Amino acid sequence: MSIYFKVIIVAVLLFLILRAFETIMLSVKTLHTFSSRNAKLFRKIGIYIIVVTILISYTVLRFESGSQTIAHLSLTPVIYMLLAFVMAEIFKEGENLRAENDLTI
């Protein structure tokens, strides 16, 4: 994969991550915090981070005598990904609690 395509894909994914986070922040601002939409957005953010991590960690170096593949995995994006999935579960549970609370008189 060309370095240009990798950069474009990573830039698009980072844009999608920021848009999803912006949507979550706007829903928190309007007091619709615990919704299934926010849980799904956090899951999407986690998946996007996985793809970005894979794209960033894989590099092919081409030399005159051949090519060499280098894989380097940083733990920081992995921690962000885990945090996004944990937040998705927290928001999902919060939505369930909110629904139960709405049914209680």
Side-chain angles (χ1 to χ4, degrees):
M1 181 186 300
S2 174
I3 187 80
Y4 302 113
F5 291 124
K6 188 189 323 186
V7 170
I8 289 171
I9 292 170
V10 169
V12 167
L13 288 172
L14 290 177
F15 174 76
L16 291 174
I17 289 170
L18 289 175
R19 285 292 301 222
F21 194 69
E22 178 187 22
T23 304
I24 292 169
M25 288 294 107
L26 289 175
S27 71
V28 169
K29 194 174 187 181
T30 59
L31 300 177
H32 297 295
T33 305
F34 296 111
S35 65
S36 61
R37 183 177 183 211
N38 285 348
K40 289 177 185 176
L41 286 173
F42 271 118
R43 279 192 206 97
K44 281 185 181 181
I45 289 172
I47 292 169
Y48 294 154
I49 292 173
I50 290 172
V51 175
V52 168
T53 303
I54 290 170
L55 288 174
I56 289 175
S57 65
Y58 180 76
T59 305
V60 175
L61 299 176
R62 290 184 172 79
F63 298 103
E64 289 181 17
S65 62
S67 65
Q68 182 179 6
T69 303
I70 298 174
H72 172 72
L73 182 63
S74 176
L75 290 179
T76 304
V78 174
I79 292 170
Y80 291 147
M81 177 218 33
L82 290 174
L83 183 64
F85 285 127
V86 167
M87 291 299 291
E89 291 303 313
I90 289 172
F91 274 66
K92 181 180 166 186
E93 188 62 33
E95 177 193 12
N96 292 339
L97 290 173
R98 183 185 55 83
E100 288 178 14
N101 191 25
D102 290 344
L103 295 175
T104 305
I105 298 177

